[in-house]
Amino acid sequence: MPFEFRDEMIHRYRSDGYVIFRQILPPSLIRDLRKAAARVPEIARGKSGPQAQRLQPIASHLTAEEMKPFLDYATFPPLVEAIQRILTPRHTLSNGKADRMALLLEPVEKPWWTGWHRDIREDGDRATAMPDLEEFRRITVDPLWFNQINCPLYEDNCTWYVPGSYLRRFDLPGEKAAAEHPMPGETATDEERERAGVEYCQRMPSSIRASMDAGDFMIYHPNGWHLGNYLPGRKRVTLHDWAPTPELVDWYDRWSKARAAAANK
Ligand SMILES: O=C(O)CCC(=O)C(=O)O
Ligand SMILES: [Fe+2]
């Protein structure tokens, strides 16, 4: 089925905090992106070791020629239009220049997981460096503010999400406990770690798995509960991106300055 935008997707995004545009990338673009990404796993593992989860930003490591398909993706009209309908015409895929774009990769040695988290939360360890806490409390539950994108170039079952969780600043009973559930250490077998990873994902109340195929595109609120659960040997090359407004870019700049100032105290 070719991708077709439906207004129901706007409702989904606003209530659930995520929506998946199924098979929105054409096979020819997927092919070009896969070829352009070919060196990325080796670069990432050379830099961060065999368990490397990502290379970010890819623009610092790839040639202008290799980056070209990623810019084609960022300006692909059906994608640009779908994003503008979910968000607004002021939201620009990849910030128009792919300067923060990452690729998410599978680990080589062992199953592992990020742990359930909300990327930015007011009671997190980075909250003291919030540029403006009252502003953050307003924008974190605003459907048009924070967003993140996963766009797999190969089938990807790694991402889990809790629909609707971005709309509440505070956790429901059981969420913290599920997130902090003890996990097996490095000495457990791969099969024990794999099983524990799946059970850990399922333990979170109302969690769903974002099962995706090549060329699907998921946009989600990164401040809702989510995680990545990874298996070695399960090839993963997933574009990790955002579609900010100028105000969101400015918020991240202010936040990074506030954190730098707090670190120097
Ligand atoms: O791998 C994923 O899909 C999610 C990764 C993630 O949430 C993170 O690194 O913060
Ligand atoms: Fe995250």
Side-chain angles (χ1 to χ4, degrees):
M1 290 268 287
F3 173 77
E4 205 177 313
F5 192 87
R6 297 187 311 275
D7 285 343
E8 181 240 351
M9 292 171 174
I10 302 171
H11 297 256
R12 285 257 150 267
Y13 183 68
R14 292 203 177 203
S15 53
D16 293 344
Y18 79 96
V19 66
I20 301 173
F21 303 145
R22 299 280 177 191
Q23 286 131 294
I24 192 165
L25 297 193
S28 56
L29 182 53
I30 297 172
R31 187 174 170 80
D32 291 346
L33 288 164
R34 284 179 176 178
K35 279 190 194 156
R39 289 195 306 123
V40 166
E42 197 188 325
I43 299 170
R45 290 165 192 150
K47 196 170 161 256
S48 310
Q51 292 288 97
Q53 182 222 26
R54 64 175 70 197
L55 185 71
Q56 183 167 24
I58 53 170
S60 301
H61 300 274
L62 300 187
T63 63
E65 183 70 18
E66 286 168 324
M67 281 305 292
K68 200 180 157 294
F70 296 98
L71 295 167
D72 292 342
Y73 141 93
T75 51
F76 182 57
L79 208 42
V80 169
E81 193 200 329
I83 285 178
Q84 293 191 346
R85 287 175 77 176
I86 290 287
L87 301 170
T88 75
R90 299 185 69 254
H91 287 81
T92 311
L93 181 56
S94 296
N95 199 22
K97 41 190 175 182
D99 57 344
R100 293 200 195 180
M101 190 188 281
L103 284 174
L104 301 173
L105 309 166
E106 83 282 8
V108 170
E109 287 182 346
K110 283 177 189 301
W112 80 279
W113 39 83
T114 61
W116 280 106
H117 63 285
R118 296 161 171 260
D119 278 1
I120 311 174
R121 53 184 297 157
E122 70 172 81
D123 58 352
D125 51 2
R126 299 183 288 194
T128 44
M130 230 20 115
D132 178 338
L133 189 54
E134 285 310 315
E135 175 197 41
F136 177 74
R137 287 178 174 159
R138 194 163 27 83
I139 64 182
T140 190
V141 293
D142 182 333
L144 301 181
W145 199 268
F146 294 97
N147 67 70
Q148 196 154 278
I149 286 158
N150 279 16
C151 179
L153 301 183
Y154 297 86
E155 186 184 306
D156 182 346
N157 286 307
C158 301
T159 312
W160 289 68
Y161 197 81
V162 178
S165 55
Y166 90 95
L167 286 166
R168 6 182 203 90
R169 290 196 286 116
F170 301 103
D171 302 324
L172 290 178
E175 289 181 336
K176 261 269 166 47
E180 288 168 5
H181 190 82
M183 296 297 278
E186 304 272 306
T187 54
T189 64
D190 285 1
E191 289 76 14
E192 286 165 345
R193 286 174 65 87
E194 178 174 349
R195 176 61 57 84
V198 178
E199 289 179 355
Y200 176 74
C201 294
Q202 293 167 338
R203 185 170 281 113
M204 175 62 87
S206 306
S207 64
I208 60 101
R209 183 186 215 155
S211 297
M212 291 197 279
D213 293 295
D216 286 358
F217 178 101
M218 176 184 185
I219 180 157
Y220 59 102
H221 282 264
N223 297 352
W225 282 110
H226 65 280
L227 63 62
N229 183 46
Y230 315 115
L231 294 178
R234 200 76 166 85
K235 185 177 178 70
R236 186 186 206 208
V237 182
T238 290
L239 256 136
H240 194 55
D241 202 5
W242 64 336
T245 56
E247 291 77 21
L248 181 59
V249 175
D250 174 66
W251 188 88
Y252 275 96
D253 286 347
R254 285 189 283 131
W255 184 44
S256 90
K257 282 188 190 121
R259 280 190 295 164
N264 285 335
K265 264 188 197 153

